[in-house]
Amino acid sequence: SPLDSNEQQWLQVDLGDRVEIVGVATQGRYGSSDWVTSYMLMFSDTGRNWKQYRKEDTVWVFTGNSNADSVVHHKLLHSMKARFLRFIPLKWNVGGHIGLRVEVFGCSYKSDIADFDGRSSLLYRFNQKLMSTFKDVVSLKFKSMQEDGVLFHGEGQRGDYITLELQKGKLSLHINLGDSNLHFTNSHTSITLGSLLDDQHWHSVLIERFNKQVNFTVDKHTQHFRTKGDSDHLDIDYEVCETLLMKIWEMRKNFHGCIENLYYNGVNIIDLAKRRKPQIYTVGNVTFSCSEPQIVPITFVSSSRSYLLLPGTPQIDGLSVSFQFRTWNKDGLLLSTELSENSGSLLVYLHGGRLTLLIQKMAEDPVEISEGTNLHDGLWHSLNINARRHRITLTLDNNAATANHATTISRIYSGNSYYFGGRLFQMDTWHCVSHVWLIFIDNQPKDLILVQQGSLGNFSDLHIDLCDIKDRCLPNYCEHGGKCSQSWTTFYCDCNDTSYTGATCHNSIYEQSCEAYRHQGKTSDFFYIDSDGSGPLGPLRVFCNITEDKIWTAVQHNNTGLTRVQGAGPEKPYTMSFNYNSSSEQLEAVINSAEYCEQEAAYHCKKSRLLNTPNGIPFAWWVGRANEKHLYWGGSLPGIQQCACGLEESCLDMRYFCNCDADREEWTNDTGLLAFKDHLPVTQIVITDTNRSNSEAAWKIGPLRCYGDRQFWNAASFNTEASYLHFPTFHAEVSADISFFFKTTSLSGVFLENLGMKDFIRVEIRSPKEITFSIDVGNGPTEATVQSPTPLNDNQWHYVRAERNLKQTSLQVDNLPKKVLEAPAEGHFRLQLNSQLFVGTASRQKGFLGCIRSLHLNGQKLDLEERAKMTPGVKPGCPGHCSSYGNLCHNGGKCVEKYNGYSCDCTSSAYEGPFCKEEVSALFEAGTSITYIFQEPYPVTKNTSTSSSAIYADAIMSKENIAFSFLTAHAPSLLLYINTYFHEYLAVILSKNGSLQVRYKLSKDGLLIFTIDSGNFANREMHHVKINREGRELIIQVRHGLFSGPFFCCVADSLTLDPEVSKANAYGFTGCMSSVWYNHIAPLKAALRHPSIAPVTVKGSLTESSCSSLTEADVNTATTIYSSSDPFGKTDEREPLTNAVRSDSAVIGGVIAVVIFTIFCIIAIMSRFLYQHKQAHRSSQTKEKEYPENLESSFKADTDLQNTVSECKREYFI
């Protein structure tokens, strides 16, 4: 037991010689209450320059004793080779003092060591003139204080070489196999490993080569790589010193330090040298014991409290200070002192990685010298400061040529006290300071061991005789190519240009499928998808066709056009390989994630056979995944050497199973879909029968097309709290992410958990408003909790994403603020799990009751449905998606439940598309009209009874809901007209001045005219009109370009036919109209999409167009060129061809054609209305949600209508 029990105590053991230490044991002081409860170990060869024992790249804390008598053993995971061992007590019995008895377990350690002074070397000669090897194994240990130096080098006259060298504290392996053009070749391979290897500690190296495959290991880090070039041999000559290459390598620095146990292909090189064997030639002074420089490094462990105080020699004219430092921090105070004789103060500090010396004195301008850049690179840098009288010199890295000088007004005298680090001036410091010969002040070396013993100077929060610098970028924990940088306490990841984000570049910025983009409301376009999310596969550019219920993903390749082939035969086959601008693993991930995939295969032939059926050797074939050759064609099945017509028994010649195999003189084709997922994609096609007379072929392989995300809607329902699914252990030692959707009505429950011996990971709902992510990696539990302002057990889908990496633990719930907890800089960091992963829980925790879907762990998809099929208490799938996502169906679209997700039924909407958001619009020429007759519902879908009945029932109610959009440059015009056999009508017209009028005439009452005069509506801009009447209330809402203003209303008592309507009808309407909607009827959409089954009559030329695309153009011109949403040319055969190119023949002034949109007519059943009030008042309608919220003008009129219903046949004319 020491006299004082504090953190500065240690117990040191001298083992007499270097031994291999494999275990330790501790005990308290006999018969006392003194024992140590935790401690750490340090070891050294010399009793100086100590190194801490680490485990998992962390300073390991050993568990000590709980009483004075019991013995606690620890077997070391990694043995130590050392002579000296220190036990550093960290904690001890609260009621006693430090008390420690120790025992060390190990065995003797024999080694062969060679010491090189930077000018010496050993040359190993082979037994034969040339050594050519397929396999090489090189192993050694080394220690050095120098950051550069060649450890070994071998070469051959034909350019082969292998070299191992230190470069800036890192170890580089250079290798070249069999290329004489050494300096002009791509066969040179260089790999760099390790960091901070110039610390005068032993580092192990192992190089294993078999042909081109090389394993390069430095300490515990291994890199596997293949050498470049074509050769598998390493040819090394007998006399390596006589070649030009050796002279080139001699220009590099020789190694200065010690090498231990150097073996080359089983030969102990140092042992041969010690025994003076003739195979070894010694150059210079090589000794066989390791000389140790007497250095005492110091580590500053606190940016605010650490300092070292050393005395100077006051009143000396001038000063001299020199030392070495290394750091990762770009800012920090290195040195400060108050100069004697009132000559000012001196500071030396880093700012932005640049060294600055500053002398300040009252009444004088400060003197500043700056030198160097990027001095926070972790390398040793030497600093020399010399001052004589009025001149001061700063020298960096012993480079006198770049030394910087400055002159002061006053003479410079040495300081009385020199502070390294902080204390005198408050500035952050965090670095490791050392010099080969300690620290010199006024040309006197300072013994830092005396400082440690308390007999020289003073210090605080230092590790003396220990340089505890750590390269936090080795290994690089920035994922997906992120660039690592660091400070003393942490590392940072630059994720620019990686397609990933997050603290460690772990999270993909892209969605995993087109289905996920559709769910966000995206429309058809090119997107990047990342099929494995945070996994190793990168993103892939695809086209997402989101125009149908099935969301298609298309991956283009380099040749999707029709390609002609001639002159190909068995001896000279035609071959085409396909490049999808992606790796095979990326394509495989896309295919495996999809429900269905296909590629169109077309072979057009004239006297060119395809598969040579029924029993011949095929003349053409294709190669698919895994480079497999396939002998079936599109439309057929794997393993059957046939085309589609063979299966359908429809071939031109029934003796063959392909049309082309009939070998006819006229053109024919075999076309079909390749749809067996395990064989896709097509990577190559081979054709061998176009070399005969008049023989010719043309082929086409379409893009890879897939639909369905097998995981996005993959769900399981947990019916009891004891229910769970189990999966293999979640292996995520340093980086883990978990994401899923859930819905529940339960108050609490565990979503998933995975346990280890001590470590665990768990995600749970602890209360209706609280989600918690708990994890323990050995430092104690960490909990990230997100509080929701509203209950989450509302039986709606909610999204959860939990992530843990070396920098932080985070939890995201829906769009609520993310909870982020910073990870500790030190301690355990590897998550060690060994139980199965339980979705739900099998422990004593309360289980989950509800649904979980789309569960991903580190980007990998867990198939909940498949596992639920075989698990009691859990059912595959989960109904009720519309309750959460029904609001994504817009404009009157209805959400329809599906087993895997939902769809939007746009039957009753004037819009279309997956979310009923795509406008349906058209341009009309002069004389064109559409008449819609509403008598009975028409079947636009296979099951329309519900929606159609609703339409019919709605039609006889005393209300109108009308919406449409228009664009025109002409007035007057008739926009909309409703007419009944009872001389009732509703008309919307543009007056001659461009104002909008809504004219109501019901029963025998007067005519109501509402004028919206907020500008000229015939201004070539898009305007949106909504008219809603229910009972006595009429609301007119208009959203238009840039105008807003008052509305004017007037009343006319004329009972005769309105002449203004007749006048407007005579002029018709010139422009574009879209998204016409009347009481859940979409007449314009019916005319364009279902003209054969809808009760609609079209006169004249009707051309589908897009009004929004014409808003910036002259509406008197029309460019009617529109393409399918799929740019790869795939046309849905069930729909009319909408991507044909159309254009009018007339050309006016260089513009294509004049397009006129005339009258749109609807005949329908209406109710009779009796008006009690013939006047209406105008008012301002408050902005509403959805459509009305953007309306710039609104009008509301009370018409005091009596609801008298009379069923009859009527016309609705727009």
Side-chain angles (χ1 to χ4, degrees), residues 368-399:
E368 183 176 303
I369 302 175
S370 294
E371 184 69 32
T373 57
N374 195 35
L375 299 179
H376 59 297
D377 56 3
L379 300 177
W380 285 111
H381 296 282
S382 62
L383 176 63
N384 293 274
I385 304 171
N386 286 283
R388 290 291 180 270
R389 299 187 180 184
H390 299 276
R391 182 179 175 85
I392 187 166
T393 301
L394 174 66
T395 305
L396 185 64
D397 291 335
N398 297 318
N399 191 345

Side-chain angles (χ1 to χ4, degrees), residues 220-233:
K220 301 170 187 176
H221 305 293
T222 301
Q223 185 155 342
H224 310 278
F225 66 94
R226 288 181 63 84
T227 60
K228 301 175 183 178
D230 299 326
S231 176
D232 293 332
H233 301 78

Side-chain angles (χ1 to χ4, degrees), residues 772-793:
T772 300
F773 174 41
S774 307
I775 188 170
D776 189 346
V777 296
N779 303 315
T782 298
E783 291 187 351
T785 299
V786 172
Q787 298 279 351
S788 172
T790 57
L792 298 171
N793 62 340

Side-chain angles (χ1 to χ4, degrees), residues 633-649:
W633 197 244
S636 183
L637 300 176
I640 303 176
Q641 190 173 323
Q642 293 185 13
C643 299
C645 70
L647 286 183
E648 298 167 359
E649 298 183 355

